Amino acid sequence: TPTATRTPTSTRTSTRTFTPTKTRTPSRTPTPTRTSRATATPLYYKVKVYFAKRTRLDANNPPFEVFGERWLVASSNLPEGVLKEYFKGPGLTEKSRGYVALYNGFTGFSRLEISDGVAYVFLSGACVPSGKDFTIADLLILNLKQFSNIQVVKIYDQFGQTRSLSGRGDSEPACLDPSFTPTLTPSLTLTPSRTPTVTRTPTPTRTPTSTRTPTKTPTASRTPTTTRTPRPTATPLYTLVNVHFVQKNTLADVIGKRWASSSADFPKFVLDEYFKGPGLTEKNTYGWIAIYSGATGYSKLEIADGIARVYLTGKCDSGGSTFTIAGPLMKNLKQFSAIQFVKIYDENGDTENPDGQSDSIPACLEP
């Protein structure tokens, strides 16, 4: 009989038959349905719209840029959408935070083209320079370069002009250069053309109607329409000159553009601009620098017999380098036909070759 009691052990084998219940794992295969999340994200895309902080601008305390956020339809032209949002200006809340948009006279843009990583922006309106380094160009460049397919931004004025048409560098209109402030003066020169209206005063000579022949002579007074010749005088009011700086990484010669009054002393103007240093865009975007070699400026500039003599101030020191302030100064001055040689003097009034038709540098600029 005890052997009969062992039969229940066979029932244990039946319990093991329940292991097939582990086949529930195949029910997890429907996880691919999570792909629906990807279809929800492209409906809208969050972008940044860069503006300027008014308090920082007034205090000249960079960084000036701040940004708000906008949701744009993902299927739209996102760079164009950002530009449109910029020209709309900051929202009410953003304004309360002191956000402002810089326009410099431009009212919008007529065209945006993007090709080979370069964005071409054609602005509309009438460019009004502010005389400041930070302009609408800096903000437009920030707004567009947030997109990975844009590495370079070239901005054109209402006439379709920009400073650097070619090359892989950013570019802005010349009128946005901090030293370019005279765009309003050409319009003022139109007033001389109105002076012929004064010549029409002879029309009161119609009172002697009997002598009609004299009345015809005033018509000859209309010949002073030649007074419109002041238009050529409008162009020489300002002259575009070069200011040579240096590319920080390569020490290569680079050229900035400045508008100088045509009545100015061009060589002196260029030296003054050089010691001011590159503008904000030239410095931050292009990586340009000015080499000073310890000089803080110059006390005197003399030009005679094709020789320019520059007397530096400060503590002249080459720092052991062969590349010093002498190179940029000579390039800046020799752009003028009246200067063939440049002699640079240190703060003590010394130079190596004070005489003769040759360039000269002080001993402190020797490596």
Side-chain angles (χ1 to χ4, degrees):
T1 59
T3 58
T5 59
R6 292 177 183 176
T7 56
T9 59
S10 61
T11 59
R12 293 178 183 177
T13 58
S14 64
T15 58
R16 294 176 182 176
T17 59
F18 290 100
T19 55
T21 58
K22 294 180 180 179
T23 57
R24 294 178 182 178
T25 54
S27 62
R28 295 179 182 177
T29 55
T31 54
T33 56
R34 292 180 181 177
T35 55
S36 59
R37 292 183 180 178
T39 59
T41 52
L43 291 178
Y44 291 91
Y45 193 87
K46 186 163 67 172
V47 297
K48 295 178 180 179
V49 181
Y50 286 89
F51 298 107
K53 184 79 169 179
R54 183 182 294 277
T55 53
R56 294 179 190 170
L57 283 174
D58 294 341
N60 195 24
N61 182 26
F64 306 115
E65 65 273 5
V66 290
F67 66 86
E69 294 179 335
R70 305 287 189 273
W71 286 95
L72 301 179
V73 177
S75 59
S76 64
N77 186 330
L78 296 179
E80 183 178 282
V82 167
L83 289 186
K84 289 180 179 178
E85 290 297 321
Y86 177 81
F87 280 102
K88 286 180 183 177
L92 189 61
T93 303
E94 292 169 337
K95 287 181 179 178
S96 67
R97 296 173 181 170
Y99 291 11
V100 294
L102 304 180
Y103 297 118
N104 293 103
F106 294 110
T107 57
F109 65 102
S110 60
R111 191 164 82 248
L112 170 64
E113 299 176 358
I114 302 173
S115 176
D116 297 328
V118 182
Y120 302 89
V121 186
F122 295 84
L123 299 179
S124 55
C127 181
V128 178
S130 62
K132 297 181 179 180
D133 289 325
F134 196 79
T135 66
I136 183 177
D138 299 278
L139 291 174
L140 293 188
I141 289 172
L142 286 171
N143 277 307
L144 290 172
K145 282 191 175 181
Q146 68 180 291
F147 303 104
S148 59
N149 63 324
I150 299 177
Q151 292 83 48
V152 178
V153 179
K154 293 186 181 293
I155 302 171
Y156 296 77
D157 61 16
Q158 67 272 26
F159 304 111
Q161 297 177 348
T162 191
R163 294 177 61 176
S164 177
L165 295 173
S166 59
R168 297 294 297 181
D170 297 327
S171 178
E172 62 184 37
C175 63
L176 293 181
D177 189 278
S179 62
F180 180 82
T181 54
T183 52
L184 294 178
T185 53
S187 63
L188 296 176
T189 59
L190 295 178
T191 54
S193 64
R194 294 180 181 177
T195 54
T197 58
V198 179
T199 60
R200 293 182 182 177
T201 54
T203 54
T205 57
R206 292 181 180 177
T207 52
T209 54
S210 58
T211 59
R212 292 182 180 178
T213 52
T215 58
K216 291 180 180 180
T217 56
T219 58
S221 63
R222 294 181 181 176
T223 56
T225 54
T226 55
T227 55
R228 294 181 180 177
T229 54
R231 290 183 179 176
T233 62
T235 53
L237 288 177
Y238 293 87
T239 302
L240 195 64
V241 297
N242 297 331
V243 181
H244 292 260
F245 294 110
V246 176
Q247 173 61 245
K248 181 178 181 180
N249 297 328
T250 63
L251 294 181
D253 175 56
V254 291
I255 300 175
K257 302 288 185 180
R258 301 290 187 271
W259 285 99
S261 173
S262 295
S263 60
D265 184 338
F266 291 157
K268 185 178 184 303
F269 175 86
V270 168
L271 288 187
D272 291 340
E273 289 298 316
Y274 180 80
F275 279 103
K276 286 179 183 177
L280 187 64
T281 301
E282 294 170 335
K283 183 167 33 179
N284 295 344
T285 304
Y286 303 155
W288 296 1
I289 59 172
I291 303 293
Y292 296 119
S293 303
T296 56
Y298 66 101
S299 60
K300 189 168 55 176
L301 171 63
E302 297 175 344
I303 301 173
D305 300 325
I307 301 176
R309 302 178 189 273
V310 185
Y311 296 82
L312 298 178
T313 58
K315 185 65 177 176
C316 173
D317 184 6
S318 67
S321 174
T322 57
F323 198 89
T324 66
I325 188 176
L329 289 190
M330 289 183 181
K331 288 177 181 176
N332 276 310
L333 292 171
K334 285 186 178 182
Q335 68 179 294
F336 305 107
S337 59
I339 299 175
Q340 289 81 49
F341 303 101
V342 177
K343 294 184 183 292
I344 301 173
Y345 295 76
D346 62 15
E347 64 274 15
N348 300 315
D350 297 327
T351 191
E352 292 182 338
N353 300 304
D355 302 320
Q357 297 287 311
S358 64
D359 296 327
S360 177
I361 62 173
C364 59
L365 293 182
E366 291 288 356

